């Protein structure tokens, strides 16, 4: 299988010896789903930034199928790693252009398949111009939930073996919440997933959870195993049940 992600003794500092991540090692097998949880400032976002090569590790390596990300072409990396960020970036253009990103390998049929798979076709079909509906500045003609579904459709259309997800904490009404969750599971199907997860349903659905504190992984295991362990994760869970897990 393709889509093996490894962090090999990764440390990262934006400057000097001010470590945001310290000696982080973990492995996510092809098709495995991993959630990263922990307090604000624990280093969760930095892991995402290293995976998408916004930054390179100060020490250690990040590998995709055994290859150091530094040795991959940026275009390869973008093709292999699909990204869904909390701040959905929509540009002026049509819905189709926002989903397909003008990639020659993504045709109209691919765009339609992607919007259908994440159920974005439900709201798109109510628009008189459908996929050719113009997107206003930053997508402000769509609701937060609709924007999120479009970002899922984009990630799906872009393909890739690895999905990197920075899950939005924005509170949606429960109907949108349910729709987003359904779409998310469609998006994660068959991919390696590394997610900063806030929604309880996302977290419990993952194969493994990494609990990060001050730039180190201090606990890891399945949701059930970590609850049995009765440590940091279990305390966080018990405190937060019914709400979201930690702020962004």
């Amino acid at each position: 299988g393709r889509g093996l992600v490894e962090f090999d003794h990764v440390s990262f500092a934006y400057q000097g010896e001010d470590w945001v991540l310290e000696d982080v090692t973990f492995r996510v097998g092809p098709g495995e789903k991993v959630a990263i949880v922990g307090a604000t400032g624990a280093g969760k976002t930095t892991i995402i930034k290293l995976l998408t090569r916004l930054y390179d590790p100060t020490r250690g390596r990040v590998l995709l199928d055994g290859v150091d990300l530094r040795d991959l072409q940026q275009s390869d990396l973008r093709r292999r790693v699909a990204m869904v960020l909390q701040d959905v970036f929509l540009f002026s253009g049509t819905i189709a252009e926002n989903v397909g990103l003008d990639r020659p390998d993504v045709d109209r049929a691919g765009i339609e398949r992607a919007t259908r798979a994440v159920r974005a076709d439900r709201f798109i079909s109510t628009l008189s111009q459908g996929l050719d509906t113009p997107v206003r500045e930053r997508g402000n003609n769509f609701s937060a939930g609709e924007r999120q579904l479009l970002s899922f459709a984009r990630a799906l259309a872009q393909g890739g073996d690895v999905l990197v997800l920075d899950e939005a904490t924005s509170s949606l009404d429960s109907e949108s919440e349910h729709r987003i969750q359904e779409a998310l599971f469609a998006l994660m199907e068959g991919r390696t997933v590394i997610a900063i997860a806030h929604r309880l349903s996302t977290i419990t659905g993952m194969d493994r959870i990494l609990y990060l504190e001050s730039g180190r992984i201090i606990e890891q295991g399945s949701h059930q195993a970590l609850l049995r362990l009765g440590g940091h994760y279990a305390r966080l869970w018990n405190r937060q049940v019914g709400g979201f897990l930690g702020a962004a």
Side-chain angles (χ1 to χ4, degrees), residues 86-149:
Q86 196 172 151
D87 298 318
V88 179
F89 176 72
L90 295 176
F91 51 84
S92 303
T94 63
I95 289 181
E97 286 164 343
N98 268 278
V99 172
L101 295 182
D102 273 343
R103 281 211 349 213
D105 53 332
V106 181
D107 60 6
R108 183 81 175 195
I111 292 170
E112 283 171 359
R113 267 198 309 279
T115 55
R116 239 193 341 268
V118 300
R119 318 269 200 282
D121 59 335
R122 290 180 193 170
F123 84 86
I124 295 171
S125 63
T126 66
L127 306 167
S128 60
Q129 292 170 272
L131 282 172
D132 299 311
T133 303
V135 173
R136 284 213 297 270
E137 194 188 352
R138 289 196 296 281
N140 64 13
N141 45 335
F142 302 116
S143 70
E146 289 166 346
R147 285 197 296 272
Q148 189 92 64
L149 290 178

Side-chain angles (χ1 to χ4, degrees), residues 8-13 19 21-24 50 56-60:
D8 175 25
H9 297 286
V10 170
S11 295
F12 180 79
W19 302 110
L21 292 177
E22 219 168 340
D23 200 27
V24 169
L50 293 175
D56 286 326
T58 312
R59 296 188 186 146

